[in-house]
Amino acid sequence: MKNLLVAFFVFLSLKSVAQQCPIIPMPNQVQSVAGQFVLSNNTLVVLVGGTELGGTYLQQQILKTTGLTLSIQPKANGPAISLIIDDKVKQTNPEAYTLDIKPSGVKIASATAHGLFYGITSLIQLVRLGTVKDNSIAISCWNIKDEPRYTWRGLLLDESRHFWGKQTVKEILDWMAFYKLNKFHWHLTDEPAWRMEIKAYPMLTITGGVGSFSDKQLPAQYYTQEDIKEIVAYARERFIDVIPEIDMPGHATAANKAYPAFSGGGSAAHPEFTFNPGLDTTYTYLSKILKETDALFPSQMVHLGGDEVSFGNEKWKTDASIQKLMQQNKLSDMLAVEHYFTKRMADTLFKLNNKLLLWDEAADSDLPPSKTIIFWWRHDKPEQLKKALDKGFSTVLCPRLPFYFDFMQDGAQRLGRKWQGAFVPMDRLYKFTLDSLPIGKEQQKQILGVQAALWTEYITTKAKLQYMLFPRITALAEVGWVNDSQKDLTQFHERVKAQIKLYQKDGLYYYDPFRPDQTPEPLSAKEIANYR
């Protein structure tokens, strides 16, 4: 009898897993509905309330991923997909949507185009995971009511250390949209190279764009302003804001290689690392750069870095112009000089109606909280998070552990980062909560959301980029969208296994957390030789 009961409960458990909604991130409210909806070349898409963009996106994605051709029509007499924007829909979150799938048809509704888009992406996931038969696809029926936990669900891509190009960026944006991520933090400048064309200063890319982290002799690689416009427009169609990062006053080596007159020097380990805060010409130079940046990025947000300045500000202590600045403005030390610089550059952004984004070192500053967003990245310094929140700053959580995707995923991986022996496996990210963080109950509303980072010191190939991103991106999506009380690791694993089948179909080189030996770390011959 005991064995029969165990078998019965195992059966119920498996049945529950089989019946769960496969969408990532898991919707807030899901109810299974009897029957299946069958999608075919005869399926019509009906637009209600000016949803042409959403209809076209659905049409194109279904064609791209399944080969089926849906027709957009003003009305339908049979089973159809209805896309409905109605400002009378009761919702407080502009990203909320409902998705009602029955054998007789599909209805996606929202008060906004943004919410409707997420309903469409949920449907696309279900279609991609559906049962294919006789040039049609059958999907299970669901009644879904959904909205995200956080407004900021971001991913950073480092292009200074290794350049990836338009096609790869667009592919990443496609997957971000697939998983309802909405902020693309584009790290375009740093020590190795400057990757964004600035018309006023062409040498930034001609000279500053030369090289990478692993090969200092590579010919210049960068994005023209036309490239940037194309990528920003592509992201915007997917309701993704693109936020550029222009590092200052540190991490400025590539820029200083191009225009050494504005250099504040560096250190032996980080040569020409800083801009010179003692020269008025530095502020004029950087303000012109930010004005062109503002014109290219409609997100009205620019990240200025502001981190690790002490790595290369040794010469500030002896530079005559900086010493004069300190005397005139009664600046007591190098940190005060750094804050003076940041405030002046912040004023430039504020005049352009941009929000200022900075790493968590800026929590020590006196910048206006209403115009500034802090990114807490140093997991070993929770006091910086507390300080940022206590000062009233809106904050994005992106602590190295577990949000840095350049960290290794297990002990078999050869090339990547660890923190005191710790890895960043998918499950660690999925289990992330605010419970252990110094966040008061009233400060919860200051947490805008979460963001992962693909730093690329040790990522030199597209295969390795994919290996480090997939499937950890699924855990990022869940943390940004799903409430902690709804998380279920076992069910999440089942949904990830279904996603892995999509990665196989799309030819991605992913890490398999369930069978890691099946997808070994992709390393070049040079990397293997260096590792040995």
Side-chain angles (χ1 to χ4, degrees):
M1 179 61 70
K2 184 178 178 180
N3 288 339
L4 284 173
L5 285 173
V6 169
F8 176 70
F9 284 117
V10 168
F11 169 77
L12 286 181
S13 176
L14 291 173
K15 185 176 181 183
S16 174
V17 168
Q19 288 180 339
Q20 73 165 315
C21 181
I23 295 171
I24 290 180
M26 174 60 75
N28 289 176
Q29 298 178 35
V30 184
Q31 182 179 0
S32 178
V33 177
Q36 292 184 318
F37 175 78
V38 178
L39 190 77
S40 71
N41 288 323
N42 296 321
T43 302
L44 303 182
V45 178
V46 178
L47 310 179
V48 182
T51 56
E52 290 84 357
L53 181 61
T56 302
Y57 182 80
L58 173 62
Q59 197 179 31
Q60 292 174 348
Q61 291 300 309
I62 294 297
L63 175 61
K64 175 183 174 182
T65 58
T66 71
L68 296 179
T69 53
L70 309 185
S71 173
I72 297 176
Q73 298 291 341
K75 60 181 181 179
N77 296 321
I81 301 170
S82 298
L83 306 181
I84 305 163
I85 289 184
D86 186 352
D87 57 12
K88 295 185 179 66
V89 174
K90 292 181 180 179
Q91 61 184 59
T92 56
N93 190 318
E95 296 179 298
Y97 70 91
T98 60
L99 171 57
D100 186 19
I101 306 175
K102 298 176 180 176
S104 57
V106 176
K107 289 184 180 179
I108 305 174
S110 177
T112 69
H114 199 162
L116 186 78
F117 180 81
Y118 289 141
I120 290 169
T121 59
S122 287
L123 177 62
I124 290 169
Q125 273 205 44
L126 292 171
V127 170
R128 292 212 64 193
L129 296 167
T131 303
V132 180
K133 184 179 180 181
D134 298 331
N135 206 30
S136 65
I137 300 174
I139 62 175
S140 298
C141 293
W142 305 94
N143 185 272
I144 293 171
K145 187 176 181 181
D146 199 14
E147 64 180 58
R149 177 182 185 182
Y150 291 124
T151 60
W152 192 292
R153 305 177 301 280
L155 178 68
L156 176 150
L157 177 65
D158 170 18
E159 293 238 40
S160 175
R161 291 171 178 86
H162 289 102
F163 181 82
W164 300 103
K166 281 194 298 184
Q167 185 58 37
T168 297
V169 170
K170 286 182 178 181
E171 289 169 5
I172 289 173
L173 291 170
D174 281 339
W175 284 104
M176 286 180 66
F178 193 71
Y179 292 125
K180 303 183 178 76
L181 301 176
N182 65 350
K183 307 294 182 193
F184 180 58
H185 181 161
W186 209 2
H187 191 80
L188 291 166
T189 78
D190 210 308
E191 292 179 79
W194 182 287
R195 305 296 190 190
M196 180 175 72
E197 179 190 23
I198 299 295
K199 300 284 189 183
Y201 299 103
M203 299 307 293
L204 283 170
T205 46
I206 294 172
T207 300
V210 171
S212 70
F213 185 83
S214 60
D215 186 349
K216 291 180 171 49
Q217 304 307 316
L218 274 179
Q221 295 175 296
Y222 60 90
Y223 295 99
T224 67
Q225 293 196 358
E226 292 306 309
D227 291 334
I228 290 169
K229 291 175 190 175
E230 181 182 334
I231 289 170
V232 167
Y234 193 86
R236 206 169 192 178
E237 289 174 357
R238 288 152 181 77
F239 291 88
I240 297 171
D241 293 322
V242 182
I243 299 103
E245 182 173 353
I246 312 297
D247 262 327
M248 58 181 76
H251 292 273
T253 308
N256 289 334
K257 183 169 62 174
Y259 292 95
F262 306 111
S263 175
S267 62
H270 301 275
E272 306 304 327
F273 186 72
T274 63
F275 292 117
N276 190 330
L279 300 174
D280 280 337
T281 50
T282 299
Y283 300 100
T284 302
Y285 164 65
L286 294 175
S287 292
K288 287 182 179 179
I289 290 172
L290 292 181
K291 286 176 182 177
E292 290 197 30
T293 303
D294 169 65
L296 292 169
F297 294 92
S299 63
Q300 298 298 103
M301 293 181 281
V302 178
H303 202 299
L304 294 187
D307 62 315
E308 301 175 333
V309 180
S310 62
F311 284 11
N313 65 353
E314 293 174 8
K315 294 185 179 179
W316 286 14
K317 299 172 185 176
T318 56
D319 183 274
S321 64
I322 296 174
Q323 293 304 307
K324 183 179 179 181
L325 176 77
M326 293 178 72
Q327 291 171 3
Q328 288 177 339
N329 293 276
K330 297 182 173 55
L331 305 176
S332 59
D333 55 23
M334 295 302 102
L335 185 59
V337 174
E338 182 183 329
H339 289 167
Y340 172 89
F341 171 93
T342 301
K343 187 176 184 304
R344 282 193 65 170
M345 298 317 305
D347 287 342
T348 296
L349 281 182
F350 297 154
K351 289 174 183 174
L352 295 168
N353 194 32
N354 275 245
K355 284 233 175 189
L356 168 65
L357 281 53
L358 292 161
W359 298 112
D360 63 37
E361 287 90 337
D364 296 321
S365 70
D366 293 320
L367 292 162
S370 63
K371 300 178 181 179
T372 309
I373 298 173
I374 300 295
F375 285 63
W376 178 59
W377 67 281
R378 291 180 290 177
H379 71 280
D380 55 322
K381 292 187 179 294
E383 67 273 14
Q384 287 301 107
L385 172 60
K386 185 177 189 305
K387 188 180 295 182
L389 295 173
D390 287 347
K391 286 187 173 183
F393 288 109
S394 295
T395 303
V396 174
L397 303 177
C398 49
R400 298 184 197 92
L401 300 180
F403 285 92
Y404 273 24
F405 285 2
D406 56 327
F407 275 63
M408 294 188 283
Q409 300 171 80
D410 65 26
Q413 197 169 329
R414 296 184 181 188
L415 196 59
R417 294 175 65 194
K418 291 185 290 186
W419 184 272
Q420 297 178 350
F423 305 112
V424 176
M426 176 184 72
D427 287 3
R428 181 170 187 167
L429 176 53
Y430 182 78
K431 294 176 183 177
F432 175 81
T433 71
L434 308 187
D435 293 347
S436 63
L437 300 179
I439 303 172
K441 187 175 181 181
E442 289 301 312
Q443 294 174 330
Q444 297 269 352
K445 60 181 179 294
Q446 292 171 239
I447 304 299
L448 298 182
V450 295
Q451 180 170 289
L454 264 171
W455 300 107
T456 59
E457 286 95 333
Y458 303 107
I459 302 176
T460 62
T461 65
K462 188 171 180 178
K464 183 67 176 286
L465 189 75
Q466 294 172 348
Y467 180 83
M468 301 301 272
L469 182 58
F470 300 98
R472 284 192 289 194
I473 190 174
T474 62
L476 172 64
E478 293 270 321
V479 172
W481 192 278
V482 180
N483 293 313
D484 292 342
S485 61
Q486 295 177 290
K487 289 182 180 178
D488 183 311
L489 184 61
T490 300
Q491 290 192 353
F492 173 64
H493 282 174
E494 293 304 313
R495 287 182 287 129
V496 171
K497 289 174 184 176
Q499 297 294 315
I500 284 176
K501 294 177 182 177
L502 299 185
Y503 304 158
Q504 293 169 345
K505 286 180 183 178
D506 288 4
L508 301 182
Y509 195 89
Y510 58 92
Y511 171 83
D512 190 334
F514 311 108
R515 299 184 304 164
D517 58 312
Q518 297 297 306
T519 53
E521 179 184 11
L523 295 172
S524 67
K526 181 180 178 182
E527 287 171 330
I528 293 172
N530 289 341
Y531 177 80
R532 289 174 179 168

Short mmCIF file of all heavy atoms in Angstrom, two decimals, residues 413-458:
data_model
loop_
_atom_site.label_atom_id
_atom_site.label_comp_id
_atom_site.label_asym_id
_atom_site.label_seq_id
_atom_site.Cartn_x
_atom_site.Cartn_y
_atom_site.Cartn_z
N GLN A 413 34.33 24.60 -15.92
CA GLN A 413 34.63 25.70 -16.83
C GLN A 413 36.05 26.21 -16.58
O GLN A 413 36.47 26.35 -15.42
CB GLN A 413 33.61 26.82 -16.65
CG GLN A 413 33.58 27.81 -17.79
CD GLN A 413 32.39 28.75 -17.69
OE1 GLN A 413 31.33 28.38 -17.19
NE2 GLN A 413 32.57 29.98 -18.15
N ARG A 414 36.78 26.49 -17.64
CA ARG A 414 38.18 26.89 -17.50
C ARG A 414 38.40 28.40 -17.44
O ARG A 414 39.26 28.88 -16.72
CB ARG A 414 38.99 26.34 -18.69
CG ARG A 414 39.05 24.83 -18.78
CD ARG A 414 39.96 24.45 -19.94
NE ARG A 414 40.06 23.02 -20.13
CZ ARG A 414 40.91 22.47 -20.98
NH1 ARG A 414 41.71 23.22 -21.70
NH2 ARG A 414 40.96 21.15 -21.10
N LEU A 415 37.63 29.12 -18.27
CA LEU A 415 37.94 30.53 -18.46
C LEU A 415 36.75 31.40 -18.05
O LEU A 415 35.68 31.32 -18.65
CB LEU A 415 38.30 30.79 -19.93
CG LEU A 415 39.00 32.10 -20.27
CD1 LEU A 415 40.32 32.22 -19.52
CD2 LEU A 415 39.24 32.21 -21.77
N GLY A 416 36.96 32.21 -17.05
CA GLY A 416 35.90 33.07 -16.54
C GLY A 416 36.25 33.51 -15.13
O GLY A 416 37.34 33.22 -14.63
N ARG A 417 35.32 34.18 -14.49
CA ARG A 417 35.59 34.72 -13.17
C ARG A 417 34.91 33.89 -12.08
O ARG A 417 33.91 33.22 -12.31
CB ARG A 417 35.10 36.17 -13.08
CG ARG A 417 35.85 37.13 -13.98
CD ARG A 417 35.22 38.51 -13.93
NE ARG A 417 35.35 39.12 -12.60
CZ ARG A 417 34.67 40.19 -12.23
NH1 ARG A 417 33.80 40.76 -13.05
NH2 ARG A 417 34.84 40.70 -11.02
N LYS A 418 35.50 33.96 -10.89
CA LYS A 418 34.90 33.43 -9.67
C LYS A 418 35.09 34.51 -8.59
O LYS A 418 35.90 35.41 -8.74
CB LYS A 418 35.58 32.14 -9.22
CG LYS A 418 35.35 30.95 -10.11
CD LYS A 418 35.97 29.69 -9.52
CE LYS A 418 37.49 29.74 -9.57
NZ LYS A 418 38.10 28.46 -9.13
N TRP A 419 34.31 34.40 -7.53
CA TRP A 419 34.50 35.30 -6.39
C TRP A 419 34.71 34.44 -5.16
O TRP A 419 33.79 33.81 -4.68
CB TRP A 419 33.29 36.22 -6.22
CG TRP A 419 33.50 37.22 -5.12
CD1 TRP A 419 33.23 37.07 -3.79
CD2 TRP A 419 34.06 38.52 -5.26
NE1 TRP A 419 33.57 38.19 -3.09
CE2 TRP A 419 34.09 39.12 -3.97
CE3 TRP A 419 34.54 39.26 -6.34
CZ2 TRP A 419 34.58 40.40 -3.74
CZ3 TRP A 419 35.02 40.53 -6.11
CH2 TRP A 419 35.04 41.09 -4.83
N GLN A 420 35.97 34.41 -4.73
CA GLN A 420 36.33 33.58 -3.58
C GLN A 420 35.82 32.15 -3.77
O GLN A 420 35.26 31.54 -2.86
CB GLN A 420 35.79 34.20 -2.29
CG GLN A 420 36.38 35.57 -2.00
CD GLN A 420 35.82 36.22 -0.75
OE1 GLN A 420 34.84 35.75 -0.18
NE2 GLN A 420 36.43 37.31 -0.32
N GLY A 421 36.01 31.64 -4.97
CA GLY A 421 35.63 30.29 -5.30
C GLY A 421 34.18 30.09 -5.71
O GLY A 421 33.79 28.98 -6.09
N ALA A 422 33.39 31.16 -5.67
CA ALA A 422 31.95 31.03 -5.95
C ALA A 422 31.66 31.19 -7.44
O ALA A 422 32.23 32.06 -8.11
CB ALA A 422 31.17 32.07 -5.16
N PHE A 423 30.75 30.33 -7.93
CA PHE A 423 30.28 30.39 -9.31
C PHE A 423 28.92 31.10 -9.35
O PHE A 423 28.35 31.44 -8.31
CB PHE A 423 30.12 28.98 -9.88
CG PHE A 423 31.36 28.13 -9.78
CD1 PHE A 423 31.39 27.02 -8.95
CD2 PHE A 423 32.48 28.45 -10.52
CE1 PHE A 423 32.53 26.24 -8.86
CE2 PHE A 423 33.62 27.68 -10.43
CZ PHE A 423 33.65 26.57 -9.59
N VAL A 424 28.43 31.32 -10.57
CA VAL A 424 27.08 31.88 -10.74
C VAL A 424 26.27 30.93 -11.62
O VAL A 424 26.10 31.16 -12.82
CB VAL A 424 27.12 33.30 -11.36
CG1 VAL A 424 25.70 33.80 -11.60
CG2 VAL A 424 27.86 34.26 -10.44
N PRO A 425 25.80 29.82 -11.06
CA PRO A 425 24.92 28.93 -11.82
C PRO A 425 23.52 29.53 -11.95
O PRO A 425 23.14 30.43 -11.20
CB PRO A 425 24.90 27.66 -10.98
CG PRO A 425 25.15 28.13 -9.59
CD PRO A 425 26.05 29.32 -9.70
N MET A 426 22.77 29.01 -12.88
CA MET A 426 21.41 29.49 -13.14
C MET A 426 20.55 29.46 -11.88
O MET A 426 19.80 30.41 -11.60
CB MET A 426 20.78 28.64 -14.24
CG MET A 426 19.34 28.96 -14.56
SD MET A 426 18.64 27.81 -15.78
CE MET A 426 18.48 26.31 -14.79
N ASP A 427 20.64 28.38 -11.11
CA ASP A 427 19.77 28.24 -9.94
C ASP A 427 20.05 29.30 -8.88
O ASP A 427 19.14 29.75 -8.19
CB ASP A 427 19.94 26.85 -9.32
CG ASP A 427 19.30 25.76 -10.15
OD1 ASP A 427 18.76 26.08 -11.24
OD2 ASP A 427 19.33 24.59 -9.73
N ARG A 428 21.30 29.69 -8.77
CA ARG A 428 21.64 30.72 -7.78
C ARG A 428 20.94 32.03 -8.11
O ARG A 428 20.45 32.73 -7.24
CB ARG A 428 23.15 30.91 -7.70
CG ARG A 428 23.57 31.95 -6.66
CD ARG A 428 25.06 31.97 -6.43
NE ARG A 428 25.39 32.86 -5.32
CZ ARG A 428 26.57 32.90 -4.72
NH1 ARG A 428 27.54 32.11 -5.12
NH2 ARG A 428 26.80 33.75 -3.73
N LEU A 429 20.92 32.37 -9.39
CA LEU A 429 20.23 33.59 -9.81
C LEU A 429 18.72 33.45 -9.60
O LEU A 429 18.07 34.38 -9.10
CB LEU A 429 20.53 33.88 -11.28
CG LEU A 429 19.82 35.08 -11.91
CD1 LEU A 429 20.03 36.34 -11.11
CD2 LEU A 429 20.28 35.27 -13.35
N TYR A 430 18.17 32.30 -9.95
CA TYR A 430 16.72 32.09 -9.79
C TYR A 430 16.29 32.26 -8.33
O TYR A 430 15.20 32.78 -8.05
CB TYR A 430 16.34 30.70 -10.29
CG TYR A 430 14.85 30.40 -10.21
CD1 TYR A 430 13.98 30.92 -11.15
CD2 TYR A 430 14.33 29.63 -9.18
CE1 TYR A 430 12.61 30.67 -11.08
CE2 TYR A 430 12.97 29.37 -9.09
CZ TYR A 430 12.12 29.89 -10.05
OH TYR A 430 10.77 29.65 -9.96
N LYS A 431 17.14 31.85 -7.40
CA LYS A 431 16.81 31.90 -5.97
C LYS A 431 17.05 33.29 -5.35
O LYS A 431 16.78 33.48 -4.16
CB LYS A 431 17.65 30.87 -5.22
CG LYS A 431 17.31 29.43 -5.57
CD LYS A 431 18.26 28.48 -4.85
CE LYS A 431 18.01 27.04 -5.23
NZ LYS A 431 19.00 26.12 -4.58
N PHE A 432 17.52 34.24 -6.13
CA PHE A 432 17.82 35.57 -5.59
C PHE A 432 16.56 36.23 -5.02
O PHE A 432 15.51 36.25 -5.67
CB PHE A 432 18.40 36.47 -6.69
CG PHE A 432 18.64 37.89 -6.25
CD1 PHE A 432 19.77 38.23 -5.54
CD2 PHE A 432 17.71 38.89 -6.56
CE1 PHE A 432 20.00 39.54 -5.14
CE2 PHE A 432 17.92 40.21 -6.16
CZ PHE A 432 19.07 40.53 -5.45
N THR A 433 16.68 36.76 -3.82
CA THR A 433 15.60 37.53 -3.20
C THR A 433 16.18 38.75 -2.50
O THR A 433 17.40 38.89 -2.37
CB THR A 433 14.83 36.69 -2.15
OG1 THR A 433 15.68 36.49 -1.00
CG2 THR A 433 14.39 35.34 -2.70
N LEU A 434 15.31 39.60 -2.01
CA LEU A 434 15.73 40.79 -1.27
C LEU A 434 15.89 40.51 0.22
O LEU A 434 16.27 41.42 0.98
CB LEU A 434 14.71 41.92 -1.46
CG LEU A 434 14.29 42.29 -2.88
CD1 LEU A 434 13.40 43.53 -2.84
CD2 LEU A 434 15.48 42.52 -3.78
N ASP A 435 15.61 39.30 0.65
CA ASP A 435 15.49 39.00 2.08
C ASP A 435 16.71 39.38 2.90
O ASP A 435 16.59 39.87 4.02
CB ASP A 435 15.17 37.52 2.29
CG ASP A 435 13.80 37.13 1.77
OD1 ASP A 435 13.00 38.06 1.48
OD2 ASP A 435 13.53 35.93 1.62
N SER A 436 17.90 39.14 2.36
CA SER A 436 19.12 39.39 3.13
C SER A 436 19.71 40.78 2.91
O SER A 436 20.76 41.10 3.45
CB SER A 436 20.18 38.33 2.77
OG SER A 436 20.54 38.45 1.40
N LEU A 437 19.03 41.61 2.12
CA LEU A 437 19.57 42.92 1.77
C LEU A 437 19.03 44.01 2.71
O LEU A 437 17.91 43.90 3.21
CB LEU A 437 19.21 43.26 0.32
CG LEU A 437 19.73 42.27 -0.74
CD1 LEU A 437 19.27 42.70 -2.12
CD2 LEU A 437 21.25 42.17 -0.68
N PRO A 438 19.82 45.06 2.92
CA PRO A 438 19.41 46.14 3.83
C PRO A 438 18.40 47.09 3.18
O PRO A 438 18.69 48.26 2.94
CB PRO A 438 20.73 46.84 4.14
CG PRO A 438 21.54 46.67 2.90
CD PRO A 438 21.18 45.29 2.38
N ILE A 439 17.22 46.57 2.91
CA ILE A 439 16.17 47.35 2.25
C ILE A 439 14.97 47.43 3.18
O ILE A 439 14.34 46.41 3.50
CB ILE A 439 15.75 46.70 0.91
CG1 ILE A 439 16.96 46.53 -0.01
CG2 ILE A 439 14.67 47.54 0.23
CD1 ILE A 439 16.66 45.73 -1.27
N GLY A 440 14.66 48.64 3.64
CA GLY A 440 13.51 48.83 4.51
C GLY A 440 12.22 48.64 3.75
O GLY A 440 12.17 48.72 2.52
N LYS A 441 11.15 48.39 4.49
CA LYS A 441 9.85 48.15 3.87
C LYS A 441 9.43 49.31 2.99
O LYS A 441 8.93 49.13 1.87
CB LYS A 441 8.80 47.90 4.95
CG LYS A 441 7.45 47.48 4.41
CD LYS A 441 6.48 47.13 5.53
CE LYS A 441 5.13 46.69 4.98
NZ LYS A 441 4.17 46.36 6.06
N GLU A 442 9.65 50.54 3.46
CA GLU A 442 9.27 51.73 2.69
C GLU A 442 10.20 51.98 1.52
O GLU A 442 9.88 52.74 0.62
CB GLU A 442 9.23 52.95 3.62
CG GLU A 442 8.07 52.95 4.61
CD GLU A 442 6.72 52.90 3.91
OE1 GLU A 442 6.52 53.69 2.97
OE2 GLU A 442 5.89 52.07 4.28
N GLN A 443 11.38 51.35 1.56
CA GLN A 443 12.37 51.55 0.48
C GLN A 443 12.18 50.58 -0.68
O GLN A 443 12.84 50.72 -1.71
CB GLN A 443 13.78 51.39 1.06
CG GLN A 443 14.16 52.49 2.05
CD GLN A 443 15.50 52.23 2.72
OE1 GLN A 443 15.91 51.09 2.91
NE2 GLN A 443 16.20 53.31 3.07
N GLN A 444 11.27 49.63 -0.52
CA GLN A 444 11.03 48.67 -1.60
C GLN A 444 10.66 49.37 -2.90
O GLN A 444 11.06 48.94 -3.98
CB GLN A 444 9.89 47.72 -1.20
CG GLN A 444 10.19 46.85 0.01
CD GLN A 444 10.80 45.52 -0.36
OE1 GLN A 444 10.88 45.16 -1.53
NE2 GLN A 444 11.25 44.78 0.64
N LYS A 445 9.91 50.46 -2.78
CA LYS A 445 9.46 51.16 -3.99
C LYS A 445 10.61 51.86 -4.71
O LYS A 445 10.47 52.27 -5.87
CB LYS A 445 8.37 52.17 -3.66
CG LYS A 445 8.75 53.26 -2.68
CD LYS A 445 7.58 54.18 -2.41
CE LYS A 445 7.91 55.29 -1.40
NZ LYS A 445 8.17 54.75 -0.05
N GLN A 446 11.76 52.03 -4.04
CA GLN A 446 12.93 52.63 -4.69
C GLN A 446 13.68 51.62 -5.56
O GLN A 446 14.53 52.02 -6.37
CB GLN A 446 13.88 53.20 -3.64
CG GLN A 446 13.35 54.41 -2.89
CD GLN A 446 14.24 54.79 -1.72
OE1 GLN A 446 13.81 54.81 -0.56
NE2 GLN A 446 15.50 55.07 -2.01
N ILE A 447 13.39 50.34 -5.39
CA ILE A 447 14.04 49.31 -6.21
C ILE A 447 13.33 49.25 -7.56
O ILE A 447 12.21 48.76 -7.67
CB ILE A 447 14.00 47.93 -5.51
CG1 ILE A 447 14.63 48.01 -4.12
CG2 ILE A 447 14.68 46.89 -6.38
CD1 ILE A 447 16.08 48.42 -4.12
N LEU A 448 13.99 49.74 -8.58
CA LEU A 448 13.39 49.74 -9.92
C LEU A 448 13.36 48.35 -10.53
O LEU A 448 12.44 48.02 -11.29
CB LEU A 448 14.17 50.68 -10.84
CG LEU A 448 14.22 52.16 -10.45
CD1 LEU A 448 15.01 52.94 -11.50
CD2 LEU A 448 12.82 52.73 -10.29
N GLY A 449 14.37 47.55 -10.19
CA GLY A 449 14.41 46.21 -10.76
C GLY A 449 15.79 45.61 -10.70
O GLY A 449 16.61 45.95 -9.83
N VAL A 450 16.08 44.74 -11.67
CA VAL A 450 17.32 43.96 -11.66
C VAL A 450 17.96 44.01 -13.05
O VAL A 450 17.31 44.28 -14.05
CB VAL A 450 17.06 42.49 -11.27
CG1 VAL A 450 16.57 42.40 -9.83
CG2 VAL A 450 16.05 41.83 -12.21
N GLN A 451 19.26 43.71 -13.06
CA GLN A 451 19.98 43.71 -14.33
C GLN A 451 21.17 42.76 -14.25
O GLN A 451 21.90 42.73 -13.25
CB GLN A 451 20.48 45.11 -14.66
CG GLN A 451 21.25 45.21 -15.98
CD GLN A 451 21.52 46.65 -16.38
OE1 GLN A 451 20.62 47.37 -16.76
NE2 GLN A 451 22.77 47.07 -16.28
N ALA A 452 21.36 41.98 -15.31
CA ALA A 452 22.54 41.12 -15.44
C ALA A 452 23.55 41.81 -16.34
O ALA A 452 23.21 42.71 -17.12
CB ALA A 452 22.15 39.76 -16.00
N ALA A 453 24.81 41.35 -16.23
CA ALA A 453 25.89 41.97 -17.02
C ALA A 453 26.72 40.92 -17.72
O ALA A 453 27.22 39.97 -17.10
CB ALA A 453 26.77 42.82 -16.11
N LEU A 454 26.87 41.11 -19.03
CA LEU A 454 27.77 40.29 -19.84
C LEU A 454 29.06 41.07 -20.08
O LEU A 454 29.24 41.71 -21.12
CB LEU A 454 27.11 39.94 -21.18
CG LEU A 454 26.39 38.61 -21.29
CD1 LEU A 454 25.62 38.55 -22.60
CD2 LEU A 454 27.35 37.44 -21.20
N TRP A 455 29.93 41.07 -19.06
CA TRP A 455 31.27 41.63 -19.28
C TRP A 455 32.07 40.64 -20.11
O TRP A 455 31.91 39.42 -19.95
CB TRP A 455 31.96 41.88 -17.94
CG TRP A 455 31.21 42.83 -17.04
CD1 TRP A 455 30.50 42.53 -15.93
CD2 TRP A 455 31.07 44.24 -17.23
NE1 TRP A 455 29.94 43.67 -15.39
CE2 TRP A 455 30.28 44.74 -16.16
CE3 TRP A 455 31.55 45.15 -18.18
CZ2 TRP A 455 29.94 46.08 -16.04
CZ3 TRP A 455 31.23 46.49 -18.06
CH2 TRP A 455 30.44 46.94 -16.99
N THR A 456 32.94 41.15 -21.00
CA THR A 456 33.48 40.24 -22.02
C THR A 456 35.00 40.11 -22.03
O THR A 456 35.58 39.78 -23.05
CB THR A 456 32.98 40.68 -23.42
OG1 THR A 456 33.41 42.02 -23.68
CG2 THR A 456 31.47 40.59 -23.51
N GLU A 457 35.66 40.34 -20.88
CA GLU A 457 37.11 40.09 -20.85
C GLU A 457 37.44 38.69 -21.33
O GLU A 457 38.39 38.48 -22.10
CB GLU A 457 37.66 40.26 -19.43
CG GLU A 457 37.77 41.70 -18.96
CD GLU A 457 36.55 42.13 -18.16
OE1 GLU A 457 35.45 41.59 -18.39
OE2 GLU A 457 36.69 43.04 -17.33
N TYR A 458 36.66 37.71 -20.86
CA TYR A 458 36.96 36.31 -21.16
C TYR A 458 35.96 35.69 -22.12
O TYR A 458 35.82 34.47 -22.20
CB TYR A 458 37.00 35.52 -19.85
CG TYR A 458 38.01 36.08 -18.87
CD1 TYR A 458 37.59 36.77 -17.73
CD2 TYR A 458 39.38 35.95 -19.09
CE1 TYR A 458 38.51 37.32 -16.84
CE2 TYR A 458 40.30 36.50 -18.22
CZ TYR A 458 39.86 37.17 -17.09
OH TYR A 458 40.78 37.71 -16.22
#
